Amino acid sequence: MNMPFYVSPEQLMKDRADFARKGIARGRSVVVLAYDGGIAFATENPSRALHKISEIYDRIGFAAVGKYNEFENLRVAGVRYADLRGYTYDRSDVTARGLANAYAQILGTVFITESKPLEVELVVAEVGATAEDDQIYRLTYDGTVADEHGHVVMGGQAEQLGRKVGEGWRADMTLGEALRLAVTVLGSSDGGTPRTIEPGQLEVAVLERARPRRAFRRLTRQALAELLAEAPGETESGGEGGTATPQAAPASSESAEPTESAESTEPESTEPTGTTESTGSGESTGSDESSGAAEPSESSDGDDSTPEPPAAPREGPPQD
Amino acid sequence: MDGFGGGPGGRGQGRLPDAFLRPGSSSFVEFLAEHAPDRLPGAIGAGGSIGAAGAVAGQGGYPRDLAPHATTIVAVTFDGGGAAGADGGSAATGSSGGVVMAGDRRATAGPMIASRSIEKVFPADEYSAVGIAGAAGIGIELVKLYQLELEHYEKIEGSLLSLEGKANRLATMLRGNLPMAMQGLTVVPLFAGYDLERNQGRIFSYDPTGGCYEEREHHGVGSGSLFARGAMKKLWRRDLDAAGAVGVAVEALYDAADDDSATGGPDTVRRIFPVVASVTAAGYSRLPDDDVAAVAERIADERRERGSLA
């Protein structure tokens, strides 16, 4: 009588994948894209202290979406891994590929063996000597590693936003062009009307190829404002029909999250900066099967393809 | 539910050990001591190598004759042009002060010159420099670990340590070398940096037991420091600017090399000149060799003109 119900492995994996996907889809998207001088990371994040984009090593950067405490733990592990490796051998022996493999093992093992998968999605990017040597790896909750080229979007509506970035992206974009594209795309994440995101609400960092050793640099609000304002009329890189100059008058409270107060009742909640809002239109991150399918395909899993925000029912349980 | 993957047994295979994922310390040295103590340099943290050092001392004479020793390091603070007289008030960015650190290029093993071109002044991080005198191998390893320690903290915490924090961290790491110091393999660092809160350059000296002392105006360590300090006492002025401080540091090394056999002077034949670095609000920067060469030449010219034979 104490015997557990039989659950088929397929069902088990699917449940876990759905669970992780829902958690991830609630977060704000992160856009990672190459530009002519390196690799840029951008996300909407009003917090100055709780970063979603970080430095791992000299030429390696890290970006994450999902539960803050989980990816923060992975970030610290990555810094330790890289520093230990560089200390044991040489600084040039620390590579994004090695780090991505280490992360993949953690994510994959937790997905299979722990009671709950990690609700995170990561990008590990390394800027090389030339653009051809750049590496961008995307890791999903189940340990899948995908080698991306040029650009990648993760988080809520990754599929849809990724397509928009793909339309506007060119390999030889300047930093200003790349960031304007990224911000325009981030601003269109609500599905409905595109909105402008002011520089103070953005977290932006770059891996600059030209910098001598530590390539990682955060862009200050002021530097960001200048870059975004460079050519206000620019439309072709936006891919959004020139909906708006990416930075404009102080954005109203749209990015201050009306949902924040409700969401952040738990201090440890997924994204400390409020998370629910981006999930308005169904999720698109889903690859159905657990490990095999790396690329998020436009699958709409039967159970939550409705516009109903999947966040609502799942507020409490995962946070502990 | 747990029929899959073997539960906790599944850990450990191909996955990073738990130490990597454990929340807590921002210190790389602590992480290393916990996870891979065998990779700590010398005796830091582990007393195991005392016996080894003793054996070395026993069979081959003094360690001082075996291991290359680095010699003189000096550091000189300066106040910047406009800030003469006023203390904290001139903190406004711009031509505020900083500190210059310089080290000669010689390493000795007993009476032998072990290296003519060793470098003993390093950036500790963006806003500080560290120079080492004493056993070169241990010192350079210590610096390497110290640089990593500061960078590790910065990456994990997302902010820089305070200047005192950095100075104290170095003291702790140095304390771990005490057993080696007792055997004769002493390392004495000199730490200098730009204090972003006080907007001034500051200097910290150490003793082999890990004592950390703040120095005022200028300081020197190493075998030639006696002479270098004497020179700096006469040359240092309150209104030095960056170029003036470089001049004082290079001249102090010149005097040290004059009287200390273990300190190397400017080598105009091989074109080897002291390493000179300045740390200001703009960060650490090392002076190009050509600039140092010009300063060294100017000092030599001045002395030639003076015509003193002593």
Side-chain angles (χ1 to χ4, degrees):
Chain A
M1 62 173 57
N2 279 332
M3 212 164 68
F5 291 113
Y6 173 75
V7 183
S8 74
E10 288 84 358
Q11 187 59 42
L12 187 60
M13 291 298 108
K14 185 172 180 307
D15 288 351
R16 289 185 175 196
D18 287 346
F19 175 86
R21 267 203 306 276
K22 281 181 206 165
I24 292 162
R26 280 189 293 162
R28 295 264 175 70
S29 300
V30 173
V31 177
V32 181
L33 70 180
Y35 67 99
D36 60 1
I39 299 172
F41 304 79
T43 184
E44 192 178 352
N45 183 1
S47 169
R48 299 287 99 193
L50 304 169
H51 297 299
K52 299 208 269 183
I53 301 167
S54 312
E55 172 185 20
I56 296 285
Y57 208 61
D58 293 351
R59 319 298 287 178
I60 302 175
F62 168 97
V65 295
K67 281 194 76 176
Y68 179 79
N69 65 329
E70 293 180 352
F71 69 68
E72 171 67 9
N73 198 357
L74 289 172
R75 182 185 73 89
V76 170
V79 171
R80 287 173 177 164
Y81 165 89
D83 278 348
L84 180 64
R85 200 174 174 84
Y87 179 70
T88 307
Y89 304 111
D90 184 74
R91 296 195 82 89
S92 59
D93 296 316
V94 181
T95 60
R97 192 178 53 80
L99 182 64
N101 280 334
Y103 279 144
Q105 293 304 324
I106 298 175
L107 290 165
T109 313
V110 170
F111 184 77
I112 299 292
T113 60
E114 310 266 318
S115 55
K116 164 189 118 45
L118 293 173
E119 296 164 80
V120 296
E121 209 171 317
L122 316 176
V123 160
V124 174
E126 177 176 6
V127 69
T130 64
E132 287 76 47
D133 301 329
D134 287 355
Q135 294 170 44
I136 302 178
Y137 296 101
R138 174 189 188 164
L139 294 112
T140 42
Y141 50 84
D142 57 1
T144 311
V145 188
D147 188 355
E148 304 278 353
H149 296 280
H151 54 87
V152 57
V153 179
M154 40 177 201
Q157 305 166 320
E159 176 78 6
Q160 180 195 343
L161 300 187
R163 212 178 309 116
K164 284 182 186 162
V165 172
E167 284 163 13
W169 182 81
R170 303 183 319 276
D172 59 347
M173 292 177 114
T174 65
L175 179 57
E177 286 171 343
L179 290 182
R180 282 193 294 277
L181 169 61
V183 172
T184 310
V185 168
L186 288 173
S188 66
S189 65
D190 284 333
T193 54
R195 61 206 174 83
T196 56
I197 307 173
E198 68 170 325
Q201 301 290 320
L202 286 166
E203 180 184 354
V204 175
V206 292
L207 287 168
E208 267 181 8
R209 204 185 313 287
R211 282 168 74 91
R213 191 168 73 86
R214 290 170 74 178
F216 186 87
R217 180 167 68 94
R218 288 186 193 284
L219 296 188
T220 60
R221 178 189 296 210
Q222 194 187 351
L224 188 57
E226 283 165 16
L227 276 168
L228 292 179
E230 243 170 31
E234 173 117 18
T235 53
E236 96 267 11
S237 68
E240 276 297 284
T243 42
T245 61
Q247 82 105 3
S252 50
S253 60
E254 104 282 353
S255 49
E257 287 124 87
T259 57
E260 183 171 61
S261 52
E263 176 73 0
S264 62
T265 47
E266 286 161 298
E268 285 278 69
S269 84
T270 59
E271 297 272 336
T273 53
T275 49
T276 56
E277 88 174 327
S278 62
T279 55
S281 58
E283 41 184 319
S284 43
T285 27
S287 60
D288 221 6
E289 290 316 320
S290 54
S291 50
E295 296 309 288
S297 57
E298 176 67 344
S299 79
S300 48
D301 328 309
D303 26 13
D304 33 46
S305 58
T306 55
E308 158 81 359
R314 266 207 54 239
E315 193 128 314
Q319 291 89 354
D320 43 359
Chain B
M1 202 43 179
D2 57 357
F4 245 32
R11 284 185 195 201
Q13 39 176 321
R15 184 178 160 181
L16 288 180
D18 285 343
F20 285 81
L21 288 157
R22 198 166 299 144
S25 167
S26 314
S27 164
F28 182 73
V29 175
E30 280 173 25
F31 170 68
L32 206 55
E34 181 191 5
H35 175 63
D38 54 308
R39 284 176 231 177
L40 282 171
I44 292 182
S49 45
I50 302 175
V56 166
Q59 60 170 232
Y62 295 107
R64 199 166 179 81
D65 297 339
L66 288 174
H69 272 63
T71 46
T72 313
I73 308 287
V74 297
V76 181
T77 59
F78 61 92
D79 205 1
D87 266 345
S90 63
T93 51
S95 68
S96 54
V99 60
V100 165
M101 184 180 280
D104 74 301
R105 301 290 290 274
R106 180 170 292 179
T108 56
M112 298 275 287
I113 292 178
S115 170
R116 289 187 184 85
S117 57
I118 189 175
E119 298 194 358
K120 296 175 274 186
V121 174
F122 307 89
D125 69 352
E126 184 75 25
Y127 293 103
S128 58
V130 60
I132 48 129
I138 297 173
I140 288 172
E141 190 63 25
L142 181 77
V143 168
K144 190 178 153 195
L145 187 60
Y146 182 55
Q147 289 170 323
L148 192 54
E149 175 78 1
L150 296 185
E151 185 187 320
H152 190 80
Y153 181 93
E154 185 190 335
K155 285 191 288 197
I156 292 203
E157 295 289 321
S159 62
L160 290 168
L161 272 171
S162 66
L163 194 65
E164 283 97 343
K166 295 177 201 170
N168 287 331
R169 194 70 198 110
L170 184 55
T172 318
M173 290 172 63
L174 192 60
R175 211 163 289 141
N177 191 51
L178 184 58
M180 299 286 267
M182 303 289 279
Q183 301 289 335
L185 293 170
T186 312
V187 178
V188 181
L190 184 64
F191 178 74
Y194 185 80
D195 191 324
L196 291 161
E197 279 153 31
R198 298 197 200 172
N199 291 300
Q200 63 178 30
R202 297 171 71 187
I203 301 171
F204 297 86
S205 73
Y206 297 85
D207 66 32
T209 62
C212 173
Y213 316 94
E214 178 161 9
E215 305 291 342
R216 301 175 62 184
E217 299 169 357
H218 49 77
H219 195 69
V221 296
S223 59
S225 61
L226 201 62
F227 313 107
R229 278 190 227 171
M232 286 189 288
K233 260 182 219 169
K234 302 290 183 289
L235 294 169
W236 191 86
R237 298 186 317 275
R238 188 161 293 283
D239 60 350
L240 281 179
D241 60 2
V246 170
V248 170
V250 175
E251 189 152 2
L253 285 180
Y254 192 100
D255 279 329
D258 222 18
D259 286 320
D260 173 36
S261 64
T263 302
D267 187 338
T268 50
V269 176
R270 299 187 185 84
R271 297 202 57 77
I272 297 171
F273 297 98
V275 175
V276 182
S278 74
V279 185
T280 63
Y284 176 99
S285 73
R286 181 178 166 176
L287 247 69
D289 266 358
D290 289 345
D291 294 11
V292 182
V295 175
E297 244 148 65
R298 177 175 57 78
I299 290 167
D301 285 345
E302 283 170 8
R303 297 197 170 202
R304 211 171 290 131
E305 274 170 37
R306 234 179 283 159
S308 166
L309 299 176

